[in-house]
Amino acid sequence: MSLLTVKNLTKQFGNNPVIQHLSFSINEGEFVSILGPSGSGKSTLFHLIGGILSPNTGSIQLADQEITGNRGHISYMPQTPSLLPWRTVLQNVLLGQELHGKKDKEKAKEMLQIAGLEQYIDAFPHELSGGMKQRAAFIRALQSPQPVICLDEPFSALDELTRLDMQKWLLSIWEEYRRTILFITHNIEEALFLSDRIIILSNKPANVKDDFLVPFDRPRSEELLLQEDFLHWKKKVHFSLKGSD
């Protein structure tokens, strides 16, 4: 059963159409990545799903609830960690819960321990490395009560080795909690390594060009990145994406 359904979504700014007749759905517990050319409307799509923007036409449903143009129904993590500098790591992680009238400190501490941040619970964001900030921001998203987490290129600012470490860490956390994730990335390897499905957007006005089911078994390790089948799929997604330009 579909958890999130986007139907015939269209969005334009003035005379500039960005998204046109875009439809897809994701199931509960699914990890879905969205790839598309630069400027194809991927972040705009997230803003529509999150209710920050309203579409010109179309609808967005969460389970059986219409959420088009309404905020507060999804958990959103932008490209930068966006931790509040005056709050400790633990206080930042609890923020999403507090906004919904909840607070489970013990669960938050447990997840921070799993994330390797146990010693930094009372630290402030300026005391953390870039990877630590991203882990804290993801734990905050994971702790929020909304059923869908939207991640907008969360690792794009990290160096290659730190990025791979974060991908492996994200997979380990996701394997344990199986939250529904919609993930924007420009990196084909990242999408293949992390995802159950990859949705390819066309150039703007964006619609769905391809929808690939990723065939690799879970759990996954970094050795997968060097396997022949992985390289075959990397080429397949590359040529689909290239045809979207």
Side-chain angles (χ1 to χ4, degrees), residues 66-86:
E66 179 80 22
I67 64 167
T68 311
N70 296 325
R71 303 185 185 188
H73 294 281
I74 60 115
S75 179
Y76 175 67
M77 180 179 165
Q79 294 179 23
T80 55
S82 301
L83 300 176
L84 299 177
W86 59 88

Side-chain angles (χ1 to χ4, degrees), residues 115-154:
L117 295 173
E118 184 179 17
Q119 298 179 9
Y120 297 90
I121 284 176
D122 296 318
F124 290 91
H126 73 271
E127 301 175 79
L128 307 182
S129 68
M132 289 177 180
K133 290 177 184 176
Q134 292 289 30
R135 276 183 264 166
F138 181 69
I139 293 298
R140 178 178 61 189
L142 204 59
Q143 280 282 96
S144 297
Q146 296 93 336
V148 177
I149 302 174
C150 291
L151 306 178
D152 190 351
E153 295 193 79

Side-chain angles (χ1 to χ4, degrees), residues 142-174:
L142 204 59
Q143 280 282 96
S144 297
Q146 296 93 336
V148 177
I149 302 174
C150 291
L151 306 178
D152 190 351
E153 295 193 79
F155 307 144
S156 60
L158 302 178
D159 65 80
E160 188 172 350
L161 290 177
T162 304
R163 184 172 186 148
L164 179 58
D165 285 341
M166 287 299 300
Q167 290 167 2
K168 291 188 293 184
W169 175 81
L170 174 57
L171 272 184
S172 69
I173 295 292
W174 181 83

